[in-house]
Amino acid sequence: MKVALVVKNGRLINPATGEDKICDIRIDGTKITAIGPDVDIQDADILDATGLVVTPGLIDMHVHLRQPGQSAKETIESGTKAAAAGGFTRVATMPNTKPVIDSAIIVDGLKYKIAAEGVVKVDIIGSLSKGLEGKELSSMGGMAKAGVVAFSDDGRYVQNCDFMRKAMEYAGMFGKIVIDHCEDADLIEGGHMHEGVVSHELGLKGRPAVAEDIAVARDILLAEATGTAVHIAHISTKNAVQMVRQAKAKGLKVTAEATPQHMILTDEALRSYDPRFKVNPPLRSEEHRKAVVEGLVDGTIDAIVTDHAPHTIEEKDCEFSLAPSGFVGLETSLGTVLTYLYHTGTVDLMTLIRTMTSSPAALLGVDAGNVTVGKTADLTIMDLNKEWTVDSDKFYSKGKSTPFEDMILKGKAVATIVDGKIVMKDGEV
Ligand code: DOR
């Protein structure tokens, strides 16, 4: 049996080193052993990447795999298959599960499941508070020892300033970043969508942009006060982007991520009252959308994430105001950003790939996102020009709700390689 693989003649884009070149990549076992023109192909299977782009394996640092406890929505198996199908070799899963991932024993149980069922690598994010209640600290020390990569109460904002300050001090002691879902709870109470012209016309209660702005402002001040790195989850407002920009200029440890949906769609989509567009933070107006894209272009935004948030069809297929927020993204992320950000000339490929590989790897503190000899062979191979239509029936994810349904996209992952093994080829996992 051949133990080596040569990815032949692809265009390697490796943001960690700034390389953009046509080359071969040889993999022996789990490691990259040679990169260059005409590498040794002896004893190797060949994967012809002529005309294709080869990148470090894509990383999504914000997904909800719903384990433990919510296997009707997603499992490690279905979620990691969806990741592989979308070109991701690594994802970080959020702790708003049942039970909440708030202690080492839950982390250990989940690690066991990931080892048994995971098709791609899964990092675990521990909660900041017990039961996500924002009152008592979770077992942060134990979870840090058990290997969580970050702490977050994602899904809700940590409303109490005193609690957040303590949580950040602890997270800092363990060298972990704090990821915060920034929407002030009082200001969004009862809201279903972005507050603005559209929400007023539809007669739906809104979640104002200022709810995010205030939340982000507080977190930046606490990052300065505690010295702990804070990472703003799914940033979606103009002022929030501007504040992160200023914080970075000041040298504070503040970073941010943005989703395809907040960079591509606006609250105009809500006119259909279709629950598939319901998400938190909400799809906002054009000026906010543009500001988020500008933040990505100028380096204010460090990572593109999906916030992949599967719900069952029964839960999501109901009256708008009753439907849960969130939708899946792992299988559309690359296609949507290539179509709407790269092919439109808005964002260059190096920036796009950096924010989906080396940059999230650095934020999580994991050794990944770099195609260099000696590194683990996690790679994504993509066809920038492949046209395809989004069809949620074909998703590996159990979640079928996507705001991109039926869209024709240009660009797709055609192979995903994890630890030197091809886990997805031509869409088949
Ligand atoms: O819309 C959302 N759904 N936003 C979040 O932050 C959480 C997510 C979920 O867990 O369903």
Side-chain angles (χ1 to χ4, degrees), residues 414-429:
V414 292
T416 308
I417 299 174
V418 177
D419 284 332
K421 287 189 202 70
I422 301 173
V423 296
M424 183 280 281
K425 181 125 194 284
D426 298 327
E428 295 295 316
V429 179

Side-chain angles (χ1 to χ4, degrees), residues 62 64 66 70 73 94 96 154-156 181 183 233-234 278-281 307-311 316 324-327:
H62 188 148
H64 298 267
R66 304 300 193 200
Q70 295 174 307
K73 292 177 192 269
M94 283 291 176
N96 61 337
D154 181 59
R156 36 176 104 151
H181 178 131
E183 285 188 287
H234 35 49
K278 189 173 176 185
V279 67
N280 298 329
D307 190 12
H308 177 85
H311 296 288
K316 203 61 187 172
S325 296
F327 41 70

Side-chain angles (χ1 to χ4, degrees), residues 94-173:
M94 283 291 176
N96 61 337
T97 49
K98 280 187 181 162
V100 170
I101 303 171
D102 59 7
S103 67
I105 191 154
I106 297 175
V107 174
D108 284 338
L110 187 54
K111 273 164 57 182
Y112 183 77
K113 200 154 185 65
I114 291 163
E117 290 178 20
V119 176
V120 306
K121 294 171 183 172
V122 180
D123 294 305
I124 301 170
I125 297 170
S127 73
L128 288 163
S129 68
K130 268 192 192 155
L132 295 184
E133 283 173 2
K135 290 181 186 142
E136 241 182 290
L137 287 175
S138 63
S139 307
M140 293 169 85
M143 286 196 288
K145 239 192 212 157
V148 299
V149 288
F151 294 107
S152 179
D153 272 6
D154 181 59
R156 36 176 104 151
Y157 181 55
V158 179
Q159 191 73 14
N160 184 303
C161 298
D162 179 51
F163 176 88
M164 187 58 159
R165 181 177 154 198
K166 285 197 188 91
M168 285 179 69
E169 279 168 353
Y170 272 87
M173 275 165 41

